Amino acid sequence: MRDQLPPGLPPDPFAGDPDDPSAALDAIEPGQPLDPAERLAVEEDLADLAVYEALLAPRGVRGLVVCCEDCHQDHYHDWDMLRANLLQLLVDGTVRPHEPAFDPSPDAYVTWDYCRGYADASMNEALPVDPYGLDS
């Protein structure tokens, strides 16, 4: 049986219904806590995501495109959805189901690799240039 709703909310319209559509969620395995290495990787992804969004959102990039391993199609994730997914991984080791982007404009999304390259190039441009070539 699922947890009861907090007081003050309307009653569950499917309470006691054997055809409750959310019953399928009971079969989903609970997530496993991340091990320290996995946790560190997700925390690093969150930090990278913040940099990528700060650099690219002002240029009109809405988020990332990821090729799904299961269906082999591109999935478009806005910055906020990516952040929520990574935070959820930290909390309980799972990513909740979510709605895909509605009619995304593929040109407004980039890959993780593009973001990494863009961030690296931005850092290189920000470094002072040695006019005497002593850094070489």
Side-chain angles (χ1 to χ4, degrees):
M1 180 170 169
R2 284 177 288 291
D3 295 335
Q4 296 298 316
L5 296 173
L9 291 178
D12 181 353
F14 293 102
D17 184 347
D19 296 321
D20 180 349
S22 69
L25 297 175
D26 292 338
I28 296 175
E29 295 281 329
Q32 299 296 319
L34 301 179
D35 66 39
E38 292 169 326
R39 185 170 197 77
L40 179 61
V42 172
E43 289 170 345
E44 288 172 349
D45 284 348
L46 273 167
D48 289 344
L49 184 65
V51 170
Y52 302 157
E53 182 178 11
L55 289 171
L56 294 166
R59 297 183 163 279
V61 176
R62 296 197 54 197
L64 298 179
V65 59
V66 178
C67 184
C68 178
E69 293 178 9
D70 295 331
C71 69
H72 305 288
Q73 293 184 2
D74 288 340
H75 290 228
Y76 300 90
H77 303 282
D78 289 343
W79 302 115
D80 290 338
M81 185 191 322
L82 286 164
R83 189 174 13 270
N85 286 349
L86 291 170
L87 290 170
Q88 187 64 39
L89 274 173
L90 288 176
V91 169
D92 65 11
T94 64
V95 176
R96 292 183 178 148
H98 55 271
E99 291 292 322
F102 178 74
D103 196 23
S105 173
D107 293 341
Y109 296 84
V110 295
T111 64
W112 276 100
D113 288 339
Y114 178 90
C115 290
R116 282 187 195 104
Y118 192 91
D120 287 346
S122 296
M123 288 298 294
N124 286 337
E125 287 178 7
L127 294 175
V129 177
D130 179 8
Y132 304 107
L134 298 176
D135 287 338
S136 301

